[in-house]
Amino acid sequence: MGSYTMSKRRDAMKEMMAPIVGMPTAEQRPVLKPVVQSGALKSMNLAFESLSHDAEEAGVLREQLASGHSIVDLNAADIEPSFIRDRLDGFESEDFNDLKNSISEHGQLLPILVRPSPEKPGQYQIAFGHRRVEATRQLGIPVKAIVRKLSDNDLIVAQGKENLERKDLSFIERGLFAARLEDRGVGRDVILAALSSHKGNLSTMISLVRRLPEELVTAIGAAPKIGRPRWESLAANLEQGGSDWTSVLRDKSFSGRSSDERFEIVLRATTITKTKDEPIELVGRNGKVFAQALMSPTKTKLIVDQKVAPEFGAYLVARLPDMYQAFLDQESN
């Protein structure tokens, strides 16, 4: 998409959102005075229709306004985070800096969703929009928000769905989010709704996260390019007595790496390399050793015992391309 097209789209969005972006400051009116009145909704919807379908912020905001919710200005100091953390990356990432710069230049186009704090009168709790709150806090400007009464379960579902619709959580973030919810006694039905996941996938994610030390997962971070199979490999390394991962975390250069790079460092450090004298024996359900695997840092060699499994070698070779593609597909999920 050319820079001219992007510029025109931003200009159209900014002009359309003028009733919101150009609202009075917090000093000019009471904090909770609505800044979008119902009379503006029809003309705003017409403006929305003129935008292309990939104007995601416009679509989400239109739904919120159509449901009768007004946008208000809040002080970031009066807003506390959700009681369940979902994202592992902090506010030092390149994505966050891009968001902050965008809000500084164009204003906050998409409001956050909050509920009145259940424990602190006059305070609010985020359902979604943590990064937008932090960006406006750092910029020293009010936060545009929709305030809605939400139960704990409502907040969890809203938080999970917003993350999936705007920027997918990584595999490990989804799993850790689900495990934390379960630890708080949240039912599987609510967790399934929040993550839009199948029951089997949810069970797999939670069971895998339980095999990994949370300290290690949070130190690695979101690792957006790392899928389930490689996290399973790391869990297996730890269970097989891989090297002490805490020493890896103490390395001064570790925190300066990207999240995906940190995962690779830990995986390599915990991988137990078998020598030629220590092949891995593969045993079938009948108790017979049907193959041996020889693994090194650069290659894996599989030797099938043709006497025990005379047809298995040919069967395996014929299906390896499909198995490899299935592995790649899982990596991307």
Side-chain angles (χ1 to χ4, degrees):
M1 185 178 295
S3 58
Y4 174 79
T5 303
M6 290 297 293
S7 177
K8 294 292 287 183
R9 187 166 294 166
R10 285 197 299 267
D11 291 344
M13 174 72 79
K14 190 171 183 179
E15 180 180 353
M16 176 200 64
M17 297 297 291
I20 297 176
V21 175
M23 64 180 66
T25 65
E27 291 76 11
Q28 293 173 320
R29 71 176 197 286
V31 169
L32 291 179
K33 182 179 179 180
V35 299
V36 177
Q37 302 297 327
S38 58
L41 182 58
K42 182 176 180 180
S43 60
M44 183 173 291
N45 274 322
L46 291 175
F48 276 124
E49 295 299 328
S50 67
L51 295 178
S52 62
H53 293 296
D54 63 341
E56 185 177 351
E57 289 87 352
V60 175
L61 181 56
R62 177 172 54 187
E63 293 178 4
Q64 293 170 334
L65 295 175
S67 63
H69 297 287
S70 296
I71 300 173
V72 299
D73 269 0
L74 298 178
N75 189 330
D78 295 330
I79 303 174
E80 61 185 14
S82 167
F83 58 87
I84 291 290
R85 182 181 177 187
D86 47 19
R87 296 200 179 277
L88 289 174
D89 291 337
F91 302 120
E92 296 81 25
S93 67
E94 184 177 346
D95 284 345
F96 174 75
N97 290 330
D98 290 343
L99 172 66
K100 181 180 173 181
N101 292 336
S102 175
I103 292 176
S104 177
E105 182 178 355
H106 305 292
Q108 181 193 340
L109 296 181
L110 185 64
I112 67 169
L113 176 63
V114 299
R115 69 172 179 177
S117 173
E119 299 177 354
K120 302 175 182 178
Q123 301 282 304
Y124 301 89
Q125 188 173 62
I126 302 173
F128 57 73
H130 289 80
R131 298 194 309 156
R132 277 163 276 170
V133 171
E134 181 60 25
T136 55
R137 189 196 314 275
Q138 293 185 15
L139 293 169
I141 60 177
V143 185
K144 293 176 177 60
I146 291 175
V147 182
R148 187 186 302 169
K149 291 184 179 179
L150 300 169
S151 67
D152 285 355
N153 286 351
D154 291 337
L155 184 145
I156 290 166
V157 172
Q159 181 177 349
K161 286 189 174 298
E162 196 268 353
N163 281 329
L164 292 175
E165 290 168 1
R166 293 188 52 77
K167 181 181 178 184
D168 284 351
L169 297 175
S170 68
F171 170 81
I172 200 63
E173 284 178 314
R174 287 163 56 85
L176 192 58
F177 183 47
R180 285 170 171 171
L181 290 174
E182 188 172 70
D183 289 342
R184 287 184 64 95
V186 177
R188 285 285 178 99
D189 57 335
V190 175
I191 302 175
L192 286 169
L195 292 176
S196 298
S197 176
H198 296 296
K199 186 178 295 184
N201 292 340
L202 179 64
S203 297
T204 299
M205 284 193 297
I206 292 178
S207 62
L208 175 54
V209 167
R210 303 288 188 207
R211 298 166 60 193
L212 296 162
E214 185 167 337
E215 178 187 355
L216 177 59
V217 173
T218 54
I220 291 173
K225 296 181 181 179
I226 308 302
R228 177 175 63 84
R230 305 198 72 205
W231 281 104
E232 288 180 334
S233 295
L234 177 56
N237 285 357
L238 300 178
E239 291 166 352
Q240 293 169 10
S243 65
D244 180 16
W245 53 266
T246 60
S247 61
V248 178
L249 305 191
R250 290 193 294 269
D251 189 315
K252 293 181 180 180
S253 66
F254 182 79
S255 61
R257 304 278 189 161
S258 71
S259 182
D260 290 316
E261 289 173 335
R262 292 196 295 268
F263 176 89
E264 298 289 356
I265 291 170
V266 174
L267 182 64
R268 287 196 299 268
T270 57
T271 297
I272 301 175
T273 303
K274 296 289 184 178
T275 67
K276 292 182 179 180
D277 296 330
E278 297 178 307
I280 300 173
E281 292 187 340
L282 303 178
V283 183
R285 292 182 180 178
N286 58 6
K288 295 183 178 180
V289 177
F290 65 89
Q292 292 184 335
L294 300 174
M295 301 181 68
S296 73
T298 58
K299 64 180 66 176
T300 297
K301 183 182 296 185
L302 184 66
I303 303 174
V304 177
D305 189 332
Q306 296 284 50
K307 293 181 179 180
V308 177
E311 304 295 333
F312 181 65
Y315 174 91
L316 182 62
V317 170
R319 284 160 179 76
L320 274 176
D322 291 337
M323 294 170 63
Y324 178 62
Q325 185 58 51
F327 170 80
L328 294 178
D329 292 341
Q330 288 182 333
E331 281 287 287
S332 64
N333 293 332

